Amino acid sequence: MAQLPDIVIRNFYRMMRCGALNENVAVEPMSAYKWRRTVETAAAEGVADIALRAAKNLQFERDFNMPAELRTTLQDEALRQRGRGIRPEMNNPSLEKKMKRIIAAGKHSEDCSKETLEAFGLIIANCQQVLVGGASVRLVIRLGNHLRVHGKRIDFEKVTSWLRELQMSRVATLVGSVLMANFAFKNEEVPFVKKADEKAAKMMTSSLAKRQSGEQNRGFAYFEYAPLENVSIILKSLKSRLDAIEE
């Protein structure tokens, strides 16, 4: 499949901001072909429901000229994608035990809100996706929505400490930087980011393009971001391949 045109990428990000973050954004008019590419991108990224919500919010805007049949396609795809859950996990056994201990302790702590635990879980899920298969719009935008809606109830000092304990601070910074670079978040909305990672904008767009083309995303480009976890990912992948050969 041909590379995504820049205008498709711009409008796709704007629709995510409109549908998930309730931002009042303007889209650029496009041809039916480019709107089709936008809908295909939303389907591939698992965010058809967000794109559908954006289409409803934008339907009376002058420059929003998405064909009606593509809105129907979005509606059908949103129904198909319903019910996808998010579960944080670590591939390294030692780090997985630490994560479970952190979550269990948080659930029984009076000074730890459920919003804090959910933010932590969403960040870890995003980090894993970056390391294993490239950034996911669905996970990034879910995190962004949670931070926007519940930010005041999140204890970011706890979250930052937990990320450091799991050796995931640098990957989390990359994820937070994606929100800043691609979805117009301010640094104060992602306080676990001390300094924005310049690779963020390119990483998100690259992940989109690779999934559209069918090329497999590889997170090994970020090996130094989380060496211990990445070694476990590589070993787990190698074991799966060897098991497949034996069968």
Side-chain angles (χ1 to χ4, degrees):
M1 187 176 288
Q3 184 175 354
L4 287 173
D6 288 345
I7 189 173
V8 170
I9 294 173
R10 290 197 300 271
N11 274 347
F12 175 69
Y13 285 150
R14 288 165 181 162
M15 290 187 74
M16 294 299 98
R17 291 168 60 188
C18 176
L21 305 174
N22 295 317
E23 291 187 17
N24 183 20
V25 295
V27 296
E28 302 170 67
M30 298 192 296
S31 66
Y33 167 76
K34 288 178 180 176
W35 276 119
R36 188 178 304 110
R37 294 300 304 277
T38 306
V39 169
E40 289 170 351
T41 301
E45 293 296 316
V47 290
D49 56 334
I50 296 173
L52 178 63
R53 199 176 308 127
K56 291 178 179 178
N57 292 343
L58 294 165
Q59 62 184 318
F60 299 116
E61 295 295 323
R62 183 185 62 184
D63 291 333
F64 185 68
N65 62 340
M66 178 187 284
E69 61 268 23
L70 290 179
R71 301 183 203 185
T72 301
T73 300
L74 272 179
Q75 190 168 10
D76 293 342
E77 186 63 27
L79 287 172
R80 191 182 70 82
Q81 293 177 353
R82 186 177 289 175
R84 288 188 178 183
I86 295 174
R87 187 174 71 89
E89 60 182 359
M90 302 293 291
N91 287 278
N92 180 274
S94 176
L95 296 180
E96 172 75 2
K97 287 180 181 178
K98 284 185 179 181
M99 186 194 71
K100 288 182 176 180
R101 177 180 54 75
I102 287 169
I103 292 173
K107 286 180 178 178
H108 293 92
S109 174
E110 293 183 359
D111 66 342
C112 181
S113 67
K114 64 178 183 180
E115 291 83 1
T116 298
L117 284 172
E118 186 169 350
F120 173 64
L122 286 168
I123 293 171
I124 291 297
N126 269 280
C127 290
Q128 283 297 324
Q129 179 61 36
V130 167
L131 296 178
V132 173
S136 158
V137 173
R138 182 176 74 96
L139 290 176
V140 168
I141 210 69
R142 175 78 178 271
L143 172 61
N145 177 268
H146 184 72
L147 297 178
R148 279 273 171 90
V149 174
H150 303 292
K152 292 183 178 179
R153 288 190 51 78
I154 298 171
D155 187 334
F156 285 104
E157 288 189 8
K158 279 189 172 65
V159 171
T160 301
S161 174
W162 294 338
L163 291 171
R164 191 163 50 244
E165 190 172 346
L166 294 183
Q167 303 178 33
M168 298 298 279
S169 299
R170 196 172 173 191
V171 192
T173 292
L174 185 61
V175 170
S177 298
V178 167
L179 285 171
M180 295 168 64
N182 299 106
F183 299 103
F185 270 63
K186 298 176 181 177
N187 202 164
E188 55 263 32
E189 294 180 285
V190 283
F192 55 90
V193 175
K194 302 308 177 187
K195 182 181 178 182
D197 193 314
E198 295 178 355
K199 292 183 179 180
K202 184 178 179 180
M203 179 190 71
M204 185 77 262
T205 302
S206 174
S207 294
L208 279 176
K210 286 181 179 179
R211 272 190 284 273
Q212 283 289 302
S213 67
E215 182 181 349
Q216 190 171 2
N217 277 292
R218 296 289 188 186
F220 299 152
Y222 305 98
F223 183 89
E224 74 276 14
Y225 281 54
L228 182 58
E229 178 66 4
N230 266 314
V231 166
S232 296
I233 291 171
I234 293 170
L235 292 175
K236 190 174 183 180
S237 175
L238 181 60
K239 183 179 184 302
S240 295
R241 292 181 184 180
L242 291 173
D243 289 345
I245 291 173
E246 289 176 359
E247 291 176 2

